[in-house]
Amino acid sequence: MKETNRTKWYGKILAVLLVVVFFPITILLLLIAAPFLIRGFRTVKKEYYKSPYYADFKKKYTSGITTDPVYRLYNGAAARNLPLRFPDDVDDKIDGLSYFFYGDTVYLLPNFEQMGLSEDGRAVWQVNCDGDWVDFGEDYAATRVQAMYPEHTVKFLVERSMITVCDLTVTPPPACVLVTQSYETAFENEDSALKMRIPQNAEDLYGMMCATPDLCGEFELTEDGQGIRWRIRADIQITLGVDLRDCYIGVDKLLFGKIESGITHWHPTVYEIYNEVREIGLRGHVLVLRQGAGSGAVLYSGKKEDCPYKPDKKVLFGKYYYIEAK
């Protein structure tokens, strides 16, 4: 009993010492990161008030609004002059679902996080709502919409990253679901077979990259076949890794054309990595990075004309990279 008490006593002392040692370091890191976080928040907010969504609906900026599917879809459509029609009050919903009209179809935006096949042997499509998987029937949450608009077709518009099935060419989604690569590019190249697949390994992703029109740079599988080296610019190399649990995108500056010097890296999911490759490397797209003391960050990736950052932007206490795919 005495030994146990002594162990507990030493444990408490050790815990206190760890707090004393690491607390100042934590505060220092927060102080270093704070200016970048505040600047990033201000940039996002500024861009929001310049967006077509705000111009048309005058909604006050709130946290998370720029990641809302309606916001992303509306701005993407406005940039391409697509005649999407939203309700006069963009926040109007039917049975908790945002909706819009395009052609003779009413499109519903999901109120679920994921979509996949049941694991009980029935091979039935299900959706994940707040952690609970429920069956997705042809009339899932859409019966009232169809009754309200009998002259329209009713479909769900679902991003590819929300669907857990890896190959939709083998197991197509329900007929009432239109799969899109991303809400920003909805109704663009929707007949592409590439959006129907999720890469299972680096070789799969390499094949998808080879089949992607206008993907810039030179890329090759690594010697062990476990990764991809992608030289998107003479002095910039991107390393891609694919794993069903955790993918990898790393960006290096090449010193003297061959010595890798890390700028930053991040970990998309296997459902996101192909779309991130497209956002980075399609012709006319840009990748904007900032490298600070011991860390780096992705400021933007996507179409050059939508980028809020200048090619010659100056930054303090760090390096700035504006990488254009061409």
Side-chain angles (χ1 to χ4, degrees):
M1 180 63 69
K2 289 182 179 180
E3 184 64 30
T4 301
N5 289 337
R6 187 181 297 115
T7 302
K8 290 181 178 178
W9 183 78
Y10 281 123
K12 291 177 181 179
I13 293 295
L14 179 60
V16 171
L17 288 174
L18 288 174
V19 170
V20 170
V21 170
F22 287 105
F23 182 74
I25 297 175
T26 302
I27 295 299
L28 178 62
L29 291 175
L30 288 174
L31 290 174
I32 293 172
F36 300 105
L37 295 174
I38 293 171
R39 190 178 296 112
F41 171 79
R42 288 176 177 169
T43 299
V44 170
K45 190 173 181 179
K46 182 179 178 181
E47 290 305 310
Y48 170 76
Y49 282 114
K50 290 166 36 179
S51 69
Y53 179 93
Y54 176 75
D56 291 342
F57 299 114
K58 296 297 187 293
K59 297 290 182 181
K60 185 178 179 181
Y61 178 83
T62 56
S63 177
I65 194 169
T66 57
T67 59
D68 184 88
V70 175
Y71 175 84
R72 297 167 56 207
L73 181 70
Y74 192 87
N75 289 330
R80 291 171 288 144
N81 294 315
L82 290 184
L84 272 56
R85 293 176 289 119
F86 283 80
D88 292 336
D89 182 355
V90 73
D91 290 332
D92 186 25
K93 296 182 179 182
I94 302 176
D95 292 339
L97 297 164
S98 298
Y99 66 98
F100 65 94
F101 300 86
Y102 185 46
D104 60 356
T105 302
V106 181
Y107 286 96
L108 307 175
L109 294 174
N111 57 353
F112 49 82
E113 293 82 44
Q114 288 180 299
M115 187 174 190
L117 291 173
S118 62
E119 298 180 353
D120 55 10
R122 294 180 299 149
V124 171
W125 282 96
Q126 294 186 319
V127 293
N128 183 349
C129 299
D130 296 323
D132 295 323
W133 286 89
V134 297
D135 287 356
F136 180 92
E138 287 291 320
D139 61 346
Y140 174 85
T143 305
R144 240 185 93 205
V145 181
Q146 189 68 75
M148 293 171 64
Y149 301 101
E151 72 282 9
H152 288 73
T153 302
V154 177
K155 284 182 176 289
F156 279 84
L157 184 65
V158 180
E159 274 192 310
R160 183 62 181 92
S161 62
M162 297 172 65
I163 302 178
T164 62
V165 174
C166 292
D167 194 342
L168 294 177
T169 61
V170 176
T171 309
C176 62
V177 172
L178 175 64
V179 181
T180 189
Q181 194 68 52
S182 73
Y183 287 129
E184 287 85 351
T185 60
F187 308 110
E188 185 176 286
N189 299 323
E190 297 296 20
D191 58 346
S192 172
L194 289 172
K195 73 173 184 180
M196 307 302 278
R197 295 171 50 202
I198 296 297
Q200 302 295 283
N201 49 49
E203 189 173 354
D204 280 352
L205 180 60
Y206 176 76
M208 294 171 72
M209 291 172 68
C210 289
T212 302
D214 287 333
L215 190 65
C216 298
E218 300 177 355
F219 42 88
E220 62 182 0
L221 284 168
T222 56
E223 290 75 10
D224 60 6
Q226 300 301 304
I228 298 170
R229 281 189 294 263
W230 181 13
R231 189 167 294 198
I232 194 167
R233 202 171 73 184
D235 62 335
I236 298 292
Q237 180 172 282
I238 298 174
T239 302
L240 304 170
V242 179
D243 188 281
L244 297 181
R245 296 162 298 178
D246 191 27
C247 295
Y248 174 87
I249 300 179
V251 186
D252 293 284
K253 183 174 179 60
L254 295 177
L255 305 176
F256 309 109
K258 55 185 178 180
I259 301 174
E260 298 175 7
S261 176
I263 300 174
T264 190
H265 75 276
W266 64 100
H267 296 274
T269 68
V270 72
Y271 304 103
E272 297 168 335
I273 190 166
Y274 174 66
N275 196 47
E276 297 226 9
V277 165
R278 286 169 46 88
E279 290 296 288
I280 292 168
L282 287 180
R283 191 175 309 280
H285 284 214
V286 295
L287 172 65
V288 183
L289 307 173
R290 177 173 182 144
Q291 185 180 28
S295 65
V298 179
L299 301 180
Y300 176 83
S301 64
K303 292 182 178 179
K304 181 179 179 179
E305 59 266 28
D306 298 331
C307 181
Y309 300 95
K310 304 289 186 182
D312 56 353
K313 178 180 173 65
K314 304 297 182 184
V315 297
L316 295 174
F317 310 115
K319 294 183 179 179
Y320 175 79
Y321 297 90
Y322 185 95
I323 304 162
E324 183 175 354
K326 56 184 178 179

